[in-house]
Amino acid sequence: MGLLLPLGLCTLALCCGAVSLPQQALGPSPLLSRGCNDSGVLAVTGFALQDINRDRKDGYVLSLNRVHNAWEHRQDDLGSLFYLTLDVLETDCHVLSKKAWKDCRVRSLHGSVYGQCKVMFYINKPHRVLYSPAYNCTLRPVSQEKIHSMCPDCPGPRPTDSSDPRVLEAATESLAKYNENTLKQYSLLKVTRASSQWVVGPSYFVEYLVKESPCTTSQAGSCSLQSSDSAPIGLCTGSLVQTDEGKFVSVTCDFFETQAPSPGGENSSVNKGPVSLPKVQEPQGKNTSLTVSPYKAGPRGSVQYLPDLDSEKPNNSQEKDPHEAFPVQLDLTTNPGGETLDVSFLFLRPVEEKLVVLPFPREEQRSAECPGPAQQASALVLPP
């Protein structure tokens, strides 16, 4: 699998007007090392993670486990550009739900997906700008070998494609049960997660996206479905448990709210009132006084999924080097002297504004106060 943003980030840099600076113009590195548990860093991190989740169109909302590394580059009168390395956990909320990560539950340990993100995040309080020019994440499922040694009876992952007929059966039968009790009908779009376990018999657990059908309950069997490119409108969680007495099916569905931004809402770059960073760890979405700036067209980042570490490891082999285990790279420039990045589109005034962007700090460059404390401290879900 190609890593990670070679073309997308180059395109971003070109579109935003990146211009090389002579190395001597910058002198000593202006990067300031920040504590990973500093309240200001945690607040900026909350905004950055919110921006990453909002930018994505597929997958599940990512939650902060801990700040791994943090640097700040103050840009004279233009605010600050932060270079953040974040250890993250996947939650049970789909990104299309647009839910704040603080409102979502992280997965149980046996079903965890964890990883690391690197993100550049720009903040300008006087002009009410919060924006991530680039981000990059690598995620892996928790080691099933280690989980099985701790909990042999815990549910294990199943393939989500059509190669497993029991998974498809669990999805279709649970959705059929949901449709029995609603006037409006829904059809299966995509299975997003699946697992199995022996309870009182073989049991299958599925999560899947659904789309709206033009049919109603009374039209069942006589109505053609919408085209396959219909947008997903909700996420359903279903189960199918088989026993000697028959099948037991359960299902719940969570439908997404409208995606349309409202004037002055959380997608607006302008909002009245004083601007200040909240002192709490995580800004609470629309209740905060700062708002996220409109997105610049074009790719800003990516999230890649890799197999669990033990499934990749040959017999009797050593542990992977951390950089190989989670190969997260993010460089808008490799020029030690830095480049300028045009961010004029983030401001309402008709002037040219440019940030100085430096190469992303390397892993060995770290504050003594980093990494910060983890929300989930198990070594199974912390990148090495």
Side-chain angles (χ1 to χ4, degrees), residues 34-35 37-46 82 277-280:
R34 297 292 302 270
N37 202 35
D38 178 84
S39 60
V41 168
L42 290 172
V44 171
T45 294
F82 284 83
L277 276 174
K279 295 182 180 179
V280 296

Coordinates of all heavy atoms in Angstrom, one line a residue, residues 34-35 37-46 82 277-280:
R34 N 6.4 21.8 23.5 CA 5.3 22.0 24.5 C 5.0 20.7 25.3 O 5.2 19.6 24.8 CB 4.0 22.4 23.7 CG 4.1 23.7 23.0 CD 4.2 24.9 23.9 NE 3.0 24.9 24.8 CZ 1.9 25.6 24.6 NH1 1.7 26.2 23.4 NH2 0.9 25.6 25.5
G35 N 4.5 20.9 26.5 CA 4.2 19.7 27.3 C 2.9 19.0 26.8 O 1.9 19.7 26.4
N37 N 0.7 17.4 28.3 CA -0.5 17.5 29.2 C -0.9 18.9 29.5 O -1.7 19.2 30.4 CB -0.3 16.7 30.5 CG -1.6 16.3 31.2 OD1 -2.5 16.0 30.5 ND2 -1.6 16.3 32.5
D38 N -0.3 19.8 28.8 CA -0.5 21.3 28.9 C -2.0 21.5 28.5 O -2.4 21.0 27.5 CB 0.4 22.1 28.1 CG 0.2 23.6 28.2 OD1 0.7 24.2 29.1 OD2 -0.5 24.1 27.3
S39 N -2.7 22.3 29.3 CA -4.1 22.6 29.0 C -4.3 23.2 27.6 O -5.3 22.9 26.9 CB -4.8 23.5 30.1 OG -4.1 24.7 30.2
G40 N -3.4 24.1 27.2 CA -3.5 24.8 25.9 C -3.3 23.8 24.8 O -4.0 23.8 23.8
V41 N -2.4 22.9 24.9 CA -2.1 21.9 23.9 C -3.3 20.9 23.8 O -3.7 20.5 22.7 CB -0.8 21.1 24.3 CG1 -0.7 19.8 23.4 CG2 0.4 22.0 24.1
L42 N -3.9 20.5 25.0 CA -5.0 19.6 24.9 C -6.2 20.3 24.2 O -7.0 19.6 23.5 CB -5.4 19.2 26.4 CG -4.4 18.3 27.0 CD1 -4.7 18.1 28.5 CD2 -4.3 16.9 26.3
A43 N -6.4 21.6 24.5 CA -7.5 22.3 23.8 C -7.3 22.3 22.3 O -8.2 22.0 21.5 CB -7.6 23.7 24.3
V44 N -6.1 22.7 21.8 CA -5.7 22.7 20.4 C -5.9 21.3 19.8 O -6.4 21.1 18.7 CB -4.3 23.2 20.2 CG1 -3.9 23.1 18.7 CG2 -4.3 24.7 20.5
T45 N -5.4 20.3 20.6 CA -5.6 18.9 20.1 C -7.0 18.5 19.9 O -7.4 17.8 18.9 CB -4.9 17.9 21.2 OG1 -3.5 18.2 21.2 CG2 -5.2 16.5 20.8
G46 N -7.9 18.9 20.8 CA -9.3 18.6 20.6 C -9.9 19.2 19.4 O -10.6 18.5 18.6
F82 N 0.8 24.4 15.0 CA 1.2 23.4 15.9 C 1.5 22.1 15.1 O 0.9 21.8 14.1 CB 0.1 23.0 16.9 CG -0.1 24.0 18.0 CD1 -0.8 25.2 17.8 CD2 0.5 23.8 19.2 CE1 -0.9 26.1 18.8 CE2 0.3 24.7 20.3 CZ -0.4 25.9 20.1
L277 N -9.1 30.4 24.0 CA -9.0 29.0 24.1 C -9.7 28.5 25.4 O -9.4 29.0 26.4 CB -7.6 28.5 24.1 CG -6.9 28.4 22.7 CD1 -5.5 28.0 22.8 CD2 -7.6 27.3 21.9
P278 N -10.5 27.5 25.3 CA -11.1 26.9 26.5 C -10.0 26.3 27.4 O -9.0 25.8 26.9 CB -12.1 25.9 26.0 CG -11.6 25.5 24.7 CD -10.9 26.7 24.1
K279 N -10.2 26.3 28.7 CA -9.3 25.7 29.6 C -9.5 24.3 29.9 O -8.7 23.6 30.5 CB -9.3 26.5 30.9 CG -8.8 28.0 30.8 CD -8.8 28.7 32.1 CE -8.4 30.1 31.9 NZ -8.4 30.9 33.1
V280 N -10.6 23.7 29.4 CA -10.9 22.3 29.6 C -10.1 21.5 28.5 O -9.6 22.0 27.6 CB -12.4 22.0 29.4 CG1 -13.2 22.8 30.5 CG2 -12.9 22.5 28.1

